[in-house]
Amino acid sequence: MFDPRSSPSGGEAAEFVEWQSEISAFAAIDRLNPAPPDAVLFVGSSSIRLWHTLAADFPDVPTINRGFGGSEIADSVYFAEQLIKPYRPRAIVMYAGGNDLADGKSPGQVRDAFGAFVTQARRWASEVPFAYLSIKPNLSRRRQLPQIRQANALIRTCAQERGVDYLDVHTPMLGADGEADPRWFDDDGLHLNAAGYALWTGVVRDWLSKRGLS
């Protein structure tokens, strides 16, 4: 069973130390400027952290951005209590998994990590609506596209079994050749540009509307 918290006093937990400063920074921000109540909580890796227009993109609902760049799903599992419990969110949106594959994790391991995060999230947010944004294709990670597709398929099934809504942002980001379409990406070929975030905004906005959250 996937459990990154199995050794909280050392051992496995050592790999999560690099994120402690960012997690602590979230708490410091909350002390100076308390997060809005009943908000939609966005969690995950750098594609969430760099979503600087989040509040403007969703003016009808309060939002909280708790993405931390370079993180894998296991990092969010390990810090789930700090990421979720303080906010009592009305809904959760997650994007993560691409870094896991880039780090050599198998699609099955990514699926298992996602399932573990859902378990942890439900401890602190019960049955609130929860959406997972599929792993996007990337110009800079072309060779990983088969693994990305396999991981997305496994996560889709896991999400359905766990009551999580799977939001497909992968397919609309492909070009006619079946590869990542450059028009959605920043110069690094990995992160989104304004057009990419506009696409994601539309997908999430439709989900919020269907869930009666906007």
Side-chain angles (χ1 to χ4, degrees), residues 79-93:
F79 291 108
E81 181 174 356
Q82 294 96 317
L83 292 170
I84 299 172
K85 185 180 179 181
Y87 307 114
R88 300 182 180 275
R90 68 189 298 184
I92 298 170
V93 177

Side-chain angles (χ1 to χ4, degrees), residues 132-151:
Y132 176 83
L133 294 163
S134 63
I135 303 172
K136 65 184 185 298
N138 292 297
L139 295 171
S140 62
R141 295 175 176 173
R142 290 183 178 90
R143 294 182 180 180
Q144 294 172 8
L145 193 56
Q147 288 79 16
I148 290 172
R149 287 173 170 153
Q150 186 179 356

Side-chain angles (χ1 to χ4, degrees), residues 81-125:
E81 181 174 356
Q82 294 96 317
L83 292 170
I84 299 172
K85 185 180 179 181
Y87 307 114
R88 300 182 180 275
R90 68 189 298 184
I92 298 170
V93 177
M94 181 183 209
Y95 178 82
N99 292 330
D100 304 55
L101 295 172
D103 192 40
K105 305 295 193 303
S106 70
Q109 288 175 310
V110 179
R111 182 269 320 279
D112 292 346
F114 167 72
F117 181 76
V118 174
T119 296
Q120 289 284 49
R122 292 305 190 200
R123 292 180 63 190
W124 312 116

Side-chain angles (χ1 to χ4, degrees), residues 51-73:
W51 200 336
H52 301 306
T53 59
L54 192 63
D57 290 339
F58 299 98
D60 298 328
V61 296
T63 59
I64 302 170
N65 188 324
R66 288 298 176 262
F68 48 118
S71 63
E72 300 180 17
I73 297 177

